[in-house]
Amino acid sequence: MEKILFVTDAIKLNTKMLDFAAFLCNLSKSKLTGIFLENQENELRSADMITQSAAMCGTSITDDISMVKEHCCKDNIEQFQEACERRGIGCTVHRDRGNPLQEIIRESRYADLLLLDGETSFLPEQEAIPTSFVKSVLADAECPVIILPVAFEGIEQLVFTLDGHPSSIFAIKQFTYLLPQLNEQRTVVVSINEEETIPDPEDRYKLKEWLHMHYKNIEFVSSPGNVKIGLLELVLQRSKAFIVMGAYGRNKLSNFLHPSHADPVLRTTSQPVFIAHQ
């Protein structure tokens, strides 16, 4: 793995999230590219919202909103670079001034992994986690995405979630190929399915065979029940875990009628969540 993207609103940088980014970069010997989304095409947030965010990063200019955003972005880039240097990781910076979603999808096309705060939003009102922007990124990104934890205290186990669809196995494979350095971690494979859509014993055998080829310490947990509730309960029982989940629906109508199984996990866990789709 060579290129990891750290995506942030240009006027709202959370440097604490760089702890996890540094962990990944040091683990994989990768560089970190900071993507600062400036949203100059269609800014919907009020001047007060922008000024408040700017004040949090130390920008005191208040008269010209375009100048506020410019100074805030520069201040945050400087903080990002200093934070990366303190953590011993190499970094570069991209200032993306256009539509945030279009910019980040294009960036993801040429990246190995994308790191994103689940609270990232460019709307004028408060949103639930994951925000509409984050959901769109998860649905359309052209590389795997990790939703960042607010605080990072280390990894003691990997949690692979199976929901009965091939996409969850695809996500596990992508995670394994990108982060083979974690193959000695305790690995828990969680399978909860209402319809048991992978009943074929041969499929189960092949999956276990593949996992044992890549991981040294595997535990399988399986039970029937509601997928969303079951995954949520099992994930919340585990601490210092790295959670891996499958596809986040591309079809907007389908996704609206049947929200992703990842949503409740993203709302309630403070642990990193890796999501990939085919």
Side-chain angles (χ1 to χ4, degrees):
M1 184 162 60
E2 296 293 335
K3 187 174 183 180
I4 300 177
L5 306 182
F6 180 90
V7 179
T8 182
D9 178 351
I11 64 171
K12 192 176 180 182
L13 172 68
N14 186 343
T15 56
K16 289 183 179 179
M17 290 186 169
L18 283 169
D19 289 341
F20 181 77
F23 164 78
L24 287 181
C25 289
N26 289 322
L27 185 72
S28 61
K29 311 301 181 188
S30 304
K31 284 190 175 181
L32 189 65
T33 301
I35 307 298
F36 287 75
L37 301 173
E38 298 188 35
N39 193 26
Q40 292 185 4
E41 282 189 3
N42 187 28
E43 180 61 75
L44 300 175
R45 293 167 294 185
S46 67
D48 286 343
M49 286 183 68
I50 294 170
T51 301
Q52 289 173 11
S53 294
M56 292 177 67
C57 73
T59 300
S60 57
I61 297 174
T62 58
D63 53 347
D64 185 319
I65 202 63
S66 62
M67 290 297 295
V68 171
K69 293 178 69 174
E70 176 66 21
H71 278 266
C72 190
C73 180
K74 288 182 177 179
D75 289 345
N76 281 331
I77 288 173
E78 185 176 330
Q79 288 187 48
F80 171 81
Q81 292 170 329
E82 291 174 352
C84 287
E85 184 176 357
R86 288 196 304 271
R87 290 165 173 80
I89 55 175
C91 71
T92 56
V93 169
H94 292 180
R95 292 182 63 173
D96 289 358
R97 294 175 168 84
N99 177 282
L101 182 59
Q102 293 176 5
E103 294 285 357
I104 201 55
I105 299 307
R106 182 164 52 205
E107 292 275 10
S108 73
R109 189 170 303 148
Y110 308 103
D112 299 304
L113 188 61
L114 188 158
L115 311 181
L116 182 63
D117 180 354
E119 294 184 359
T120 305
S121 174
F122 296 91
L123 294 181
E125 64 273 358
Q126 188 75 23
E127 290 191 85
I129 301 172
T131 65
S132 56
F133 174 78
V134 172
K135 288 182 178 182
S136 294
V137 172
L138 290 173
D140 295 331
E142 297 181 24
C143 71
V145 178
I146 293 177
I147 301 300
L148 289 163
V150 176
F152 178 63
E153 299 178 351
I155 297 294
E156 293 183 352
Q157 60 183 312
L158 310 177
V159 178
F160 295 161
T161 62
L162 295 174
D163 64 1
H165 295 92
S167 58
S168 57
I169 297 171
F170 176 82
I172 293 170
K173 291 171 69 177
Q174 288 295 297
F175 179 89
T176 301
Y177 300 150
L178 287 172
L179 294 167
Q181 301 88 349
L182 295 174
N183 69 340
E184 295 188 2
Q185 286 282 354
R186 179 190 175 201
T187 305
V188 182
V189 183
V190 175
S191 176
I192 298 177
N193 208 305
E194 295 165 316
E195 300 176 357
E196 288 295 326
T197 54
I198 313 182
D200 189 337
E202 185 175 353
D203 280 350
R204 294 181 184 277
Y205 172 80
K206 289 183 182 298
L207 172 61
K208 289 184 177 182
E209 181 183 46
W210 186 89
L211 286 167
H212 280 294
M213 287 179 176
H214 292 274
Y215 296 95
K216 302 181 185 302
N217 182 10
I218 306 176
E219 173 189 357
F220 293 87
V221 177
S222 179
S223 64
N226 180 279
V227 175
K228 291 183 184 179
I229 295 173
L231 285 180
L232 186 59
E233 289 176 349
L234 281 172
V235 165
L236 291 178
Q237 290 170 8
R238 303 178 184 279
S239 61
K240 296 185 178 179
F242 201 157
I243 302 161
V244 178
M245 307 190 78
Y248 202 96
R250 286 174 178 271
N251 184 300
K252 296 298 190 298
L253 178 60
S254 174
N255 204 35
F256 175 75
L257 296 174
H258 305 285
S260 167
H261 298 152
D263 280 4
V265 174
L266 296 178
R267 290 191 190 104
T268 55
T269 184
S270 59
Q271 301 170 90
V273 181
F274 176 102
I275 297 177
H277 56 59
Q278 293 169 294

